Amino acid sequence: AQSVAQPEDQVNVAEGNPLTVKCTYSVSGNPYLFWYVQYPNRGLQFLLKYITGDNLVKGSYGFEAEFNKSQTSFHLKKPSALVSDSALYFCAVSPGGTTSGTYKYIFGTGTRLKVLA
Amino acid sequence: DAGVIQSPRHEVTEMGQEVTLRCKPISGHNSLFWYRQTMMRGLELLIYFNNNVPIDDSGMPEDRFSAKMPNASFSTLKIQPSEPRDSAVYFCASTLGGGYGYTFGSGTRLTVV
């Protein structure tokens, strides 16, 4: 069965320190990979995506993610965390990876990031 | 672009009443998704449409739930009759397709008392 795993329910990091939020996936083919962020009482917002090319992709708010095909991972990173980064982060995978048609994304269960001042 | 628009933002209703949630996707997006989010179950896909046609409704929890998309710019999710366990935040999302990413609405917080 196709799946996305976010192994940590919560990640705590001190402000100014680097952060990593982990995501691994199990899907067939060459999937498209996404990260979304959800602030309190808001909808999910797109952060970044990997389609093809460079394994390191950069997104909004200084976030980046590294695609590792051999480890089937797509970890979210930021060199220096801010208190305002505290939110719920979701990894998502579009199996099959085509640019047209309809695809039901597989979402992870979410990781709550807490950045401590 | 105003993004995906959901209404109402908040809904409080009594058990047994009918509830209708509304969604206007981004113009030109051909796929629309309804999700439910709760603390216990996380984010659940209820149903999705492609070109106004329901493709997969396997996530709809019961026959009390129904969804329609009469045209490309409007969709509804109806719960009849509502129950307290339906209390959740319901999100609508739309997309051009697999590689473009979803755009989510701000959600409707439903409370059934």
Side-chain angles (χ1 to χ4, degrees):
Chain A
Q2 303 186 109
S3 63
V4 174
Q6 292 183 243
E8 301 151 319
D9 289 338
Q10 182 159 318
V11 170
N12 295 329
V13 63
E15 188 174 34
N17 282 3
L19 69 87
T20 298
V21 181
K22 295 179 181 176
C23 173
T24 58
Y25 62 91
S26 174
V27 301
S28 56
N30 296 311
Y32 294 160
L33 302 157
F34 303 85
W35 276 102
Y36 287 83
V37 60
Q38 185 180 27
Y39 298 102
N41 301 313
R42 303 287 295 274
L44 280 70
Q45 298 176 33
F46 171 82
L47 265 184
L48 51 78
K49 67 181 178 182
Y50 174 82
I51 303 297
T52 188
D54 193 350
N55 289 343
L56 186 66
V57 293
K58 296 186 184 297
S60 307
Y61 313 121
F63 283 93
E64 55 191 30
E66 187 167 13
F67 170 63
N68 188 316
K69 188 171 184 176
S70 63
Q71 297 187 2
T72 61
S73 67
F74 189 54
H75 300 331
L76 181 70
K77 301 183 180 190
K78 187 173 182 181
S80 178
L82 300 173
V83 171
S84 57
D85 294 329
S86 299
L88 186 58
Y89 291 81
F90 289 93
C91 179
V93 175
S94 174
T98 69
T99 57
S100 62
T102 302
Y103 285 89
K104 189 169 69 173
Y105 289 7
I106 303 170
F107 279 86
T109 52
T111 298
R112 190 164 300 281
L113 174 67
K114 220 171 199 182
V115 182
L116 308 169
Chain B
D1 191 341
V4 175
I5 300 172
Q6 291 187 246
S7 64
R9 285 299 309 273
H10 302 274
E11 177 81 37
V12 180
T13 191
E14 291 185 348
M15 183 173 63
Q17 296 298 306
E18 178 179 294
V19 174
T20 300
L21 311 181
R22 297 172 176 79
C23 175
K24 177 178 168 56
I26 290 176
S27 178
H29 283 193
N30 58 1
S31 299
L32 182 140
F33 304 80
W34 281 101
Y35 282 87
R36 178 172 69 175
Q37 186 178 35
T38 61
M39 289 293 291
M40 290 296 294
R41 304 169 88 105
L43 196 62
E44 301 174 276
L45 175 65
L46 301 177
I47 186 170
Y48 78 93
F49 296 84
N50 188 30
N51 295 322
N52 313 337
V53 176
I55 302 299
D56 184 351
D57 65 355
S58 59
M60 298 284 263
E62 300 169 38
D63 291 345
R64 299 184 295 107
F65 286 69
S66 62
K68 293 183 180 178
M69 192 164 185
N71 56 61
S73 58
F74 184 65
S75 178
T76 59
L77 178 68
K78 187 176 292 187
I79 308 172
Q80 166 64 18
S82 58
E83 296 183 5
R85 59 195 167 115
D86 302 331
S87 298
V89 181
Y90 291 81
F91 289 105
C92 176
S94 69
T95 184
L96 275 170
Y100 292 93
Y102 291 1
T103 301
F104 282 82
S106 298
T108 295
R109 183 173 296 276
L110 174 66
T111 303
V112 183
V113 298

